[in-house]
Amino acid sequence: MAQVTHNNGELRIISAHDGIVWPLLFGRLSSERTVLISGAANPDNRLCCWDATSGDLLWATQEGELGHGCFDLSVVKCDGKDILAAATEVGVQRWDSSSGTLLQDTEELSPGTIWGLDAYTAGDGRTVLVGAGNDHLVYRWDAVRGTKAGVPLAGHRSSVKCVASGSVPGRGALIASGSDDGTIRRWDAATGELIGVSDMVNADILDIDLLASRAGISILTCGDSDGVLHRWDAATGQPLGTPIETGEMVGSLVSVDVAGEPRIIASSESGLVRQWHAVTGLLVDESPVGMSVAAMAGDDGRVLLATGTEDGDISLRAV
């Protein structure tokens, strides 16, 4: 049974899951309530929604409800609904993130294994889910209806492992996808047109994130299986600085503004979580321990960082 402790500003949920915590994602149900969604593979095989302030469990999926392992999460607010989407071995599953009620599947949401998920707002106001397909394709769905929002984006030569999307000044809505073929592809989200392809990375791309920094630059960051973090200007596709050598395989990563500075926060296979300045590449911090990471900036500028361990524990603290 989960046990919540508070110590020197850090909240810990001990035994949140039975096994490795993966993935993690913050969501905001209202201006007053921020939640943390956590997942775990077998034997736990469930999703949990926690109050990010108190650590209270708000809801959890029922036994057998999450039919297959969860690889990534996205949470969106659209048409007055709070929707949690999970990337699984058979496609995408969705829940009402306020109540934990499972939403009805559609055939279009089940194209096979989806490794990564993100979401963006389209020009017509719809919220669109983006999925990284094992079949080399990038998928788009209407988040509320679960129907296709355009044809799949083709071009990768191997499994697509991660996606990121968002609004980029001077470009509008953009989709970025990372693949085992060692490339990052950038797509115009409105037209599906390929904008550009990164130089070849001699490793599998494992995770990717897009940050519209307060410094006025949109930074696209990816981590690879050789333990290297690569950074690009998301608008132009030009590299930012030299690649950051972390020394071990990157687990999960997130980018966020901390005290006005853009940072990359990434976990590693040893469980060490490090932070780098996203532009200079300088190491800022390497104190938390975890296999998975999530971060969220509040309206007051305060940033919450969550880490999940291989033993099933979760920690939350301000950075």
Side-chain angles (χ1 to χ4, degrees):
M1 188 177 196
Q3 176 186 353
V4 178
T5 65
H6 297 262
N7 184 33
N8 293 326
E10 181 179 73
L11 183 155
R12 290 192 66 204
I13 308 172
I14 302 168
S15 299
H17 289 278
D18 182 10
I20 183 172
V21 178
W22 188 288
L24 280 174
L25 180 71
F26 280 107
R28 187 172 286 131
L29 298 184
S30 68
S31 58
E32 293 80 26
R33 170 160 279 186
T34 297
V35 297
L36 180 69
I37 312 293
S38 62
N42 287 328
D44 191 297
N45 201 31
R46 64 183 178 137
L47 298 177
C48 293
C49 179
W50 313 88
D51 185 292
T53 301
S54 66
D56 292 339
L57 179 63
L58 302 179
W59 58 262
T61 54
Q62 302 299 311
E63 184 176 354
E65 191 172 289
L66 182 63
H68 301 270
C70 176
F71 308 118
D72 200 6
L73 297 167
S74 182
V75 62
V76 299
K77 185 182 288 289
C78 48
D79 292 353
K81 299 174 181 171
D82 297 293
I83 296 175
L84 171 69
T88 77
E89 291 179 357
V90 295
V92 174
Q93 287 184 259
R94 298 169 303 153
W95 290 262
D96 181 310
S97 53
S98 297
S99 64
T101 302
L102 184 65
L103 302 179
Q104 185 175 359
D105 281 338
T106 67
E107 184 176 348
E108 292 170 90
L109 285 171
S110 303
T113 298
I114 298 295
W115 294 110
L117 271 180
D118 205 356
Y120 67 91
T121 302
D124 58 5
R126 289 186 303 163
T127 300
V128 177
L129 292 172
V130 184
N134 189 58
D135 56 4
H136 310 181
L137 299 175
V138 177
Y139 288 89
R140 295 170 290 169
W141 300 277
D142 183 296
V144 175
R145 297 175 179 82
T147 54
K148 289 182 180 177
V151 298
L153 306 178
H156 281 294
R157 299 183 302 278
S158 188
S159 174
V160 184
K161 285 297 175 63
C162 49
V163 288
S165 60
S167 180
V168 174
R171 275 290 183 187
L174 177 145
I175 296 169
S177 53
S179 167
D180 284 347
D181 66 15
T183 65
I184 300 290
R185 289 177 176 257
R186 295 178 301 125
W187 316 82
D188 185 298
T191 65
E193 176 185 0
L194 180 65
I195 298 172
V197 183
S198 70
D199 292 335
M200 181 71 70
V201 173
N202 295 318
D204 299 341
I205 307 297
L206 300 180
D207 203 359
I208 188 171
D209 201 22
L210 174 63
L211 172 65
S213 171
R214 294 178 184 174
I217 185 172
S218 295
I219 303 169
L220 188 63
T221 304
C222 83
D224 69 27
S225 56
D226 282 344
V228 181
L229 297 174
H230 306 266
R231 296 159 291 150
W232 296 271
D233 182 313
T236 66
Q238 293 300 309
L240 292 174
T242 57
I244 300 170
E245 303 277 352
T246 73
E248 51 185 331
M249 188 170 68
V250 176
S252 64
L253 69 85
V254 65
S255 50
V256 64
D257 275 314
V258 178
E261 293 184 349
R263 290 193 191 178
I264 302 165
I265 305 174
S267 66
S268 62
E269 60 184 335
S270 70
L272 182 63
V273 175
R274 301 182 181 96
Q275 300 181 39
W276 294 265
H277 191 289
V279 176
T280 66
L282 294 177
L283 183 65
V284 177
D285 184 83
E286 52 179 354
S287 56
V289 175
M291 301 297 290
S292 53
V293 297
M296 171 179 276
D299 295 334
D300 59 358
R302 190 173 72 112
V303 175
L304 274 178
L305 172 64
T307 57
T309 73
E310 62 181 348
D311 296 324
D313 300 338
I314 296 173
S315 296
L316 297 94
R317 67 182 179 91
V319 294

